[in-house]
């Protein structure tokens, strides 16, 4: 649901962070979908936004949506994150780019405007028991990008799990 400019900002932010932690200079360009972006010097990046629910995504991204009600269980964002992670790990459409460029990176970005430390704890609890239904091996890693109030953005590896 986000526009191309929003995805490009997310991608640039991630490439900058990846460059800082690896010591290599990464840049990204549109990838043809899939993947969303091609990384240089190597790799590819798929970006997927995680909202509390679809109505929140419409509220934040469509001018015609004027309201959104917050209701539901505390672990709803965590469950949506796991569902999206499982979906992406099992998608066959990454086969071509995987054959051409090797394993990619999946970036799950938290767009839930109510996300806080309690929600993050729910994410960690849900991830502790996550087992993908059908991991096709197209991704070397999956990151969760989130921002807690008053803090910088954080990138956390959510798959594969550290043991």
């Amino acid at each position: 649901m986000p526009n191309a400019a929003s995805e490009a900002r997310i991608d640039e932010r991630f490439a900058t962070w990846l460059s800082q932690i690896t010591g290599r200079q990464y840049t990204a360009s549109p990838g043809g979908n899939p993947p969303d972006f091609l990384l240089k010097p190597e790799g590819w990046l798929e970006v997927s936004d995680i909202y509390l629910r679809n109505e929140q995504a419409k509220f934040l991204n469509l001018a015609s949506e004027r309201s959104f009600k917050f209701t539901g269980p505390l672990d709803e964002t965590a469950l949506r994150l796991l569902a999206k992670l499982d979906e992406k790990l099992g998608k066959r459409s990454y086969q071509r780019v995987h054959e051409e460029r090797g394993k990619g990176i999946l970036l799950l970005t938290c767009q839930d405007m109510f996300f806080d430390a309690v929600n993050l704890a729910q994410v960690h609890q849900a991830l502790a028991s996550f087992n993908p239904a059908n991991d096709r091996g197209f991704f070397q890693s999956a990151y969760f990008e989130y921002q807690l109030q008053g803090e910088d953005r954080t990138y956390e590896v959510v798959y594969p799990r550290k043991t």
Side-chain angles (χ1 to χ4, degrees):
M1 179 150 308
N3 62 38
S6 174
E7 274 196 348
R9 281 191 304 276
I10 290 168
D11 168 58
E12 289 170 15
R13 191 170 55 225
F14 182 76
T16 299
W17 175 81
L18 188 60
S19 297
Q20 290 171 348
I21 66 158
T22 63
R24 299 178 74 191
Q25 186 61 40
Y26 279 91
T27 59
S29 59
N33 206 13
D36 292 320
F37 300 96
L38 298 176
L39 296 174
K40 291 181 184 170
E42 64 190 17
W44 54 279
L45 177 67
E46 182 70 13
V47 177
S48 190
D49 294 327
I50 307 297
Y51 293 90
L52 176 63
R53 60 177 58 94
N54 293 340
E55 293 78 16
Q56 185 187 44
K58 291 175 186 175
F59 174 74
L60 292 172
N61 293 294
L62 299 174
S64 61
E65 295 293 321
R66 304 222 187 267
S67 66
F68 167 72
K69 292 182 182 179
F70 175 77
T71 59
L74 283 177
D75 65 349
E76 192 156 351
T77 300
L79 296 176
R80 288 179 65 90
L81 169 73
L82 294 184
K84 183 58 73 173
L85 175 58
D86 198 42
E87 172 195 329
K88 295 289 186 174
L89 291 174
K91 278 185 94 169
R92 295 178 189 264
S93 60
Y94 303 120
Q95 179 72 41
R96 179 194 53 80
V97 71
H98 178 259
E99 289 171 357
E100 293 173 2
R101 299 183 65 92
K103 290 189 176 196
I105 298 172
L106 175 59
L107 178 60
L108 302 164
T109 66
C110 182
Q111 301 298 324
D112 177 0
M113 59 191 176
F114 301 110
F115 194 78
D116 62 9
V118 172
N119 299 115
L120 182 59
Q122 293 291 325
V123 165
H124 290 152
Q125 182 177 7
L127 283 168
S129 61
F130 174 72
N131 288 307
N134 192 15
D135 183 358
R136 299 192 180 280
F138 298 147
F139 294 101
Q140 67 183 7
S141 55
Y143 292 89
F144 181 46
E145 177 199 50
Y146 61 90
Q147 184 174 20
L148 299 177
Q149 177 121 17
E151 296 183 15
D152 292 334
R153 291 188 185 277
T154 299
Y155 295 92
E156 186 174 313
V157 174
V158 293
Y159 191 80
R161 270 194 317 252
K162 296 176 186 172
T163 55

